[in-house]
Amino acid sequence: MNDVFLMCILSLATVPVLTPAQSQTAAFDTAIDGIIFGGLPFKALTTLADFQQKLGKPGSVRTQPVENRHTSETDVVHHFDYRGLALDLYEITHDHNVVILRVELSDNRWNFPAKIRIGSTRGDVSRLLGKATKESNSEWEYLCADCVYENTITFKFSGEKVVAMKWEFALD
């Protein structure tokens, strides 16, 4: 009986205790990461054809060859422009899979699952995500808390309202 009691006491001693400030920061980190990764409706899309099937034909397309520093291949960055949505997609030449580099949203006609939308206020953003990593009068940038690379979401403001949201993903 004493051994069980001692084990319970020892296990409680190893449980981290969060102060209110740490708990709030952890909640904000989870919310930030949730918006960065869960705020986009593109989870099952892996090829250019998948994106075009889901989103339709872009208003304009630009391509740029990019030297893959891990292979001797030349990959391609595709820039798709739609009304209220812009995407930079990195296409890996050897398998034609696509990685999202950047998404910029400026119109709610695109149904994104992010909890913050175009037209949300600075107060809405602050209540959900806390203090931005970088702030100016017109932009707030949040850095992913649990990422190896610097994945970000940036909110652009006009006055007190969100007018655009930009997701950027680092690629090794």
Side-chain angles (χ1 to χ4, degrees):
M1 183 84 156
N2 287 337
D3 289 340
V4 172
F5 179 72
L6 182 58
M7 287 175 52
C8 287
I9 294 297
L10 289 175
S11 67
L12 287 175
T14 62
V15 173
V17 176
L18 297 177
T19 67
Q22 290 171 318
S23 178
Q24 183 177 7
T25 300
F28 287 145
D29 289 349
T30 300
I32 293 166
D33 293 355
I35 292 228
I36 290 175
F37 296 108
L40 299 173
F42 306 133
K43 284 189 189 335
L45 308 180
T46 59
T47 67
L48 291 174
D50 291 342
F51 276 88
Q52 288 186 347
Q53 183 176 1
K54 171 135 178 126
L55 302 172
K57 184 178 178 187
S60 71
V61 176
R62 291 187 317 275
T63 59
Q64 175 184 350
V66 176
E67 191 66 34
N68 185 321
R69 62 186 191 162
H70 300 289
T71 69
S72 60
E73 297 177 324
T74 300
D75 295 333
V76 180
V77 173
H78 299 269
H79 180 80
F80 288 2
D81 267 321
Y82 297 89
R83 189 168 59 102
L85 178 66
L87 301 166
D88 286 339
L89 304 171
Y90 186 98
E91 183 180 24
I92 302 163
T93 300
H94 76 272
D95 62 8
H96 297 287
N97 280 333
V98 170
V99 176
I100 299 171
L101 293 178
R102 184 184 66 90
V103 175
E104 189 156 355
L105 177 69
S106 59
D107 190 325
N108 281 332
R109 69 185 293 229
W110 301 97
N111 189 18
F112 277 38
K115 293 179 181 179
I116 297 171
R117 308 207 21 98
I118 304 305
S120 294
T121 66
R122 288 177 191 261
D124 296 334
V125 175
S126 182
R127 275 187 294 283
L128 182 64
L129 303 178
K131 182 165 176 50
T133 308
K134 294 181 188 173
E135 284 186 22
S136 72
N137 282 340
S138 61
E139 289 187 0
W140 289 0
E141 179 182 273
Y142 291 86
L143 180 64
C144 174
D146 294 324
C147 297
V148 173
Y149 302 110
E150 290 193 7
N151 300 318
T152 62
I153 184 164
T154 303
F155 298 95
K156 295 181 182 182
F157 296 96
S158 177
E160 290 299 308
K161 300 286 186 175
V162 173
V163 294
M165 299 164 58
K166 179 172 56 175
W167 289 258
E168 293 182 287
F169 299 95
L171 182 66
D172 175 29

